[in-house]
Amino acid sequence: MKRLGAIFSALCLAAALWGLWLIWAPPSAPVPAPQPPAAGWHWPRLPDLRLPDLRLPEFRLPRITLPPVFQRPAARPETPIASPVRRILVEKSARRMTVWQENGPPRTFRIALGFAPEGDKSREGDGRTPEGTFRIDRLNRQSAYHLSLGIDYPQPRHREAARRLGVSPGGDIMIHGQPNQVPDGYRVKGDWTAGCIAVDNAEIAEIFAHARIGTEVEIRP
């Protein structure tokens, strides 16, 4: 009997200790439920490999300065006409007009010609700018364009050539500005006149202020 009592006492003590352990022991983490395998191939997950930040050193080409002989000179604004105009030269192929004055350097202008500029004018409406040596014969402030300088075309030789062809030689050939309908500061592009020579409004005003009747105007091909 004594032996059975000792065994019973030991079991009671063990039960008491087990109950105390359940009360004071930390809760264990739940075990995740196993996931069913997905179909297909399975590769082991590789560790996250991060490469170091590789940057090439900054490289700049040295600045090269050309010697003065190879450098393009800065554009110089031309001196405006400030004295009477002596002579005007029109170079059709270069679309350039040069104006010489009595005192001061010559002045060049970019020009527009007739809508068919190649060749000498032979008849009215051909769109050509005449070639030869002429004179300014009128100054018109009431022109359909912003100021105009009329030249003495047609001359007797033009009239005779046109008479032989049985056509009119045309007339009203002028050096003028832009059409009055065009806003000031704008310029019609290309060769657009009926045979005249056109420049900007500010440019024709500069020429008009110093031009004189009888001034020579040479027009070259």
Side-chain angles (χ1 to χ4, degrees):
M1 290 295 292
K2 292 181 179 180
R3 187 175 181 181
L4 290 175
I7 294 172
F8 181 76
S9 299
L11 291 175
C12 290
L13 179 61
L17 292 174
W18 174 255
L20 291 174
W21 185 86
L22 290 177
I23 294 173
W24 297 104
S28 59
V31 178
Q35 299 292 329
W41 292 92
H42 297 277
W43 299 94
R45 185 175 181 180
L46 298 176
D48 188 10
L49 299 178
R50 297 192 178 186
L51 297 176
D53 189 9
L54 299 178
R55 294 184 181 182
L56 296 176
E58 186 177 359
F59 179 74
R60 294 183 179 181
L61 293 173
R63 186 173 182 178
I64 301 175
T65 303
L66 295 175
V69 67
F70 295 111
Q71 293 179 349
R72 180 179 297 176
R76 298 180 181 178
E78 292 194 70
T79 303
I81 299 172
S83 61
V85 173
R86 293 177 48 206
R87 181 172 179 266
I88 297 175
L89 171 63
V90 175
E91 298 168 278
K92 291 172 56 175
S93 59
R95 301 299 189 275
R96 179 176 59 222
M97 181 172 70
T98 305
V99 178
W100 282 267
Q101 57 180 329
E102 289 186 1
N103 301 308
R107 181 94 152 81
T108 59
F109 301 90
R110 183 168 57 94
I111 60 173
L113 301 173
F115 58 83
E118 299 295 330
D120 193 6
K121 187 173 186 63
S122 60
R123 66 182 67 195
E124 183 178 7
D126 61 6
R128 296 177 179 175
T129 301
E131 300 169 1
T133 302
F134 306 92
R135 300 279 177 179
I136 293 177
D137 62 356
R138 59 198 183 279
L139 306 177
N140 187 2
R141 294 182 179 274
Q142 306 299 323
S143 173
Y145 306 93
H146 186 74
L147 304 176
S148 64
L149 309 174
I151 65 174
D152 59 345
Y153 174 92
Q155 297 173 338
R157 62 184 180 90
H158 301 110
R159 293 190 178 93
E160 178 59 25
R163 186 190 63 79
R164 289 196 300 267
L165 295 173
V167 296
S168 168
D172 286 336
I173 301 300
M174 300 169 288
I175 302 172
H176 58 63
Q178 302 299 296
N180 291 332
Q181 298 83 1
V182 174
D184 197 26
Y186 287 83
R187 182 183 184 123
V188 181
K189 294 183 179 179
D191 293 319
W192 56 271
T193 75
C196 299
I197 300 149
V199 294
D200 291 347
N201 289 348
E203 294 171 340
I204 191 61
E206 181 181 332
I207 300 169
F208 192 94
H210 299 91
R212 300 290 184 269
I213 301 295
T215 301
E216 179 182 288
V217 179
E218 181 184 357
I219 305 176
R220 296 177 182 175

